[in-house]
Amino acid sequence: MKFLRDRILRHQYHKMRAAVYNKYGPPEVVKLVEVDRPLPRSNEVLVKVYATTVNRTDCGFRSAEYFISRFFSGLFKPKFGILGNEFAGIIEAVGKDVTLLNIGDKVFGYNDTKFGAHAEYMTIAETDAITTIPNDVTFEQAAPITEGAHYALCDIRAAKIKSGHNVMIYGASGAIGSAAVQLIKNYDAKVTAVCSTQNVEVVKSLGADQVIDYITQDFTKIDQKFDFIFDAVGKSSFRQCKTLLKKNGTYISTELGKNYENIFLALLTPLFRGKKVLFPLPTIKKEDVILLKKLVESGKYKPLVDRSYHLDKIVDAYKYVETRQKVGNVVITLT
Ligand SMILES: NC(=O)c1ccc[n+]([C@@H]2O[C@H](COP(=O)([O-])OP(=O)(O)OC[C@H]3O[C@@H](n4cnc5c(N)ncnc54)[C@H](OP(=O)(O)O)[C@@H]3O)[C@@H](O)[C@H]2O)c1
């Protein structure tokens, strides 16, 4: 044990490359620099990161576009320093109380409490959202498994999707939407996906029963009623979608809406009978990562990857993600 502890301590003095941001702002606030490697606490593992992603969560915390995010990431300046919530890599050291994971394990997961995956090394508690990589899956394929999928899972659970439900997913080509299409199909529900012309084929390939191209067709005019309308890109409104909902149907959006209306509607509409808006707060547990791993292994879920960048080009990756046109996920490689 002493040998192990000494080995861990030596890591503290080793340097690593990391994408660091010291102030909120545009992609250019992120700089590649050398910093000390983190040292795992007694309940943590040290992961050598082989792949990560740049996603809308990273963008939100980097830009602090919504002031509310500063209550988590620091009121005046960022307290994490290194972003990156999704990771895939190999465990290089473990704290003295770690029992579930071992040095050498190939792992993946999600860390939105400390972030830190935009670096060659990161630490995470072994009981947090981390597990071993699914069989026959590369680091680049494992890294994007969790972000979009865990937001989708939270919303699917809140909407209490059942077999036979009729569901509409607006924005089905994004990270959250593309995960939602696949995950909802596992509930044996009927999925109508909405996206632009260029993404119709890829969204069909995810298993959607019907795809509506919002460029050529007004999705609010279709002659169908839905149990659940999930706006995965936050571009619609409850008012716009209300006529498409069944009597007790649910509307969920990933965005706050105009003047934060989705928050107010989520507080008010459940008090009455009929159509309602929900705004569940996203959470992720170890069990969720294990569930996603099983779905990947059984071929029931495959994260959609748009493109990859090396860590050296992370500013370009941020710029691309902020076009809001990515199809699925943007992966960052570190090897
Ligand atoms: N603040 C945060 O921390 C945070 C974190 C995560 C997610 N979110 C929010 O969750 C939402 C989804 O995130 P994401 O990562 O899944 O998004 P994303 O991957 O960036 O979504 C990109 C997709 O959105 C589609 N899109 C763009 N404009 C559209 C429109 N007017 N109508 C329908 N689709 C449109 C595009 O496809 P088409 O060409 O097919 O339209 C594109 O494929 C975003 O609104 C994001 O802000 C916020």
Side-chain angles (χ1 to χ4, degrees), residues 257-322:
K258 198 176 170 191
N259 300 322
Y260 298 87
E261 67 177 18
N262 291 328
I263 301 283
F264 298 113
L265 289 166
L267 291 170
L268 282 177
T269 54
L271 300 176
F272 304 97
R273 285 180 164 199
K275 303 171 185 182
K276 61 184 174 298
V277 176
L278 298 180
F279 201 83
L281 290 178
T283 56
I284 184 165
K285 292 186 182 145
K286 194 178 195 66
E287 298 89 87
D288 299 321
V289 184
I290 293 169
L291 168 70
L292 292 171
K293 171 182 169 174
K294 284 184 185 150
L295 290 173
V296 169
E297 281 178 337
S298 58
K300 291 178 174 164
Y301 167 55
K302 186 177 179 191
L304 198 57
V305 174
D306 180 320
R307 57 175 78 176
S308 298
Y309 293 82
H310 191 268
L311 183 69
D312 293 343
K313 299 280 179 200
I314 194 161
V315 173
D316 292 341
Y318 270 114
K319 287 180 182 167
Y320 179 60
V321 172
E322 288 187 359

Side-chain angles (χ1 to χ4, degrees), residues 172-184:
S173 55
I176 303 174
S178 60
V181 171
Q182 297 178 70
L183 297 175
I184 290 176

Side-chain angles (χ1 to χ4, degrees), residues 10-11 21 26 123 141 158 160 225 239 269 313 315-316:
R10 275 203 304 277
H11 276 287
Y21 79 130
T123 55
Q141 291 164 335
K160 299 191 171 67
K225 299 283 180 204
R239 185 189 296 184
T269 54
K313 299 280 179 200
V315 173
D316 292 341

Side-chain angles (χ1 to χ4, degrees), residues 199-214:
N199 294 321
V200 166
E201 288 310 315
V202 75
V203 169
K204 267 187 198 160
S205 77
L206 300 174
D209 298 284
Q210 180 186 9
V211 181
I212 294 175
D213 173 356
Y214 68 79

Side-chain angles (χ1 to χ4, degrees), residues 122-272:
M122 61 170 282
T123 55
I124 180 169
E126 66 159 349
T127 50
D128 281 351
I130 175 171
T131 192
T132 49
I133 284 185
N135 297 330
D136 304 323
V137 165
T138 64
F139 294 120
E140 287 84 350
Q141 291 164 335
I145 289 177
T146 52
E147 197 246 8
H150 93 281
Y151 288 127
L153 263 184
C154 285
D155 295 338
I156 290 166
R157 286 168 177 163
K160 299 191 171 67
I161 300 283
K162 291 194 188 79
S163 170
H165 269 179
N166 200 18
V167 179
M168 172 181 274
I169 300 171
Y170 185 82
S173 55
I176 303 174
S178 60
V181 171
Q182 297 178 70
L183 297 175
I184 290 176
K185 283 311 297 171
N186 291 314
Y187 288 75
D188 208 15
K190 186 181 170 216
V191 172
T192 296
V194 184
C195 63
S196 70
T197 316
Q198 61 190 1
N199 294 321
V200 166
E201 288 310 315
V202 75
V203 169
K204 267 187 198 160
S205 77
L206 300 174
D209 298 284
Q210 180 186 9
V211 181
I212 294 175
D213 173 356
Y214 68 79
I215 303 288
T216 57
Q217 194 181 352
D218 182 347
F219 78 97
T220 63
K221 298 275 187 319
I222 68 164
D223 189 20
Q224 286 177 46
K225 299 283 180 204
F226 297 90
D227 298 280
F228 175 34
I229 298 180
F230 179 33
D231 181 352
V233 288
K235 302 281 185 194
S236 71
S237 67
F238 179 52
R239 185 189 296 184
Q240 198 181 16
C241 295
K242 213 169 167 183
T243 53
L244 290 175
L245 282 173
K246 287 186 185 171
K247 201 169 128 220
N248 292 313
T250 303
Y251 172 85
I252 297 183
S253 171
T254 51
E255 287 283 343
L256 300 169
K258 198 176 170 191
N259 300 322
Y260 298 87
E261 67 177 18
N262 291 328
I263 301 283
F264 298 113
L265 289 166
L267 291 170
L268 282 177
T269 54
L271 300 176
F272 304 97

Side-chain angles (χ1 to χ4, degrees), residues 55-67:
N55 52 49
R56 297 287 292 272
T57 304
D58 296 309
C59 295
F61 279 83
R62 194 213 66 235
S63 65
E65 177 190 3
Y66 292 115
F67 195 84

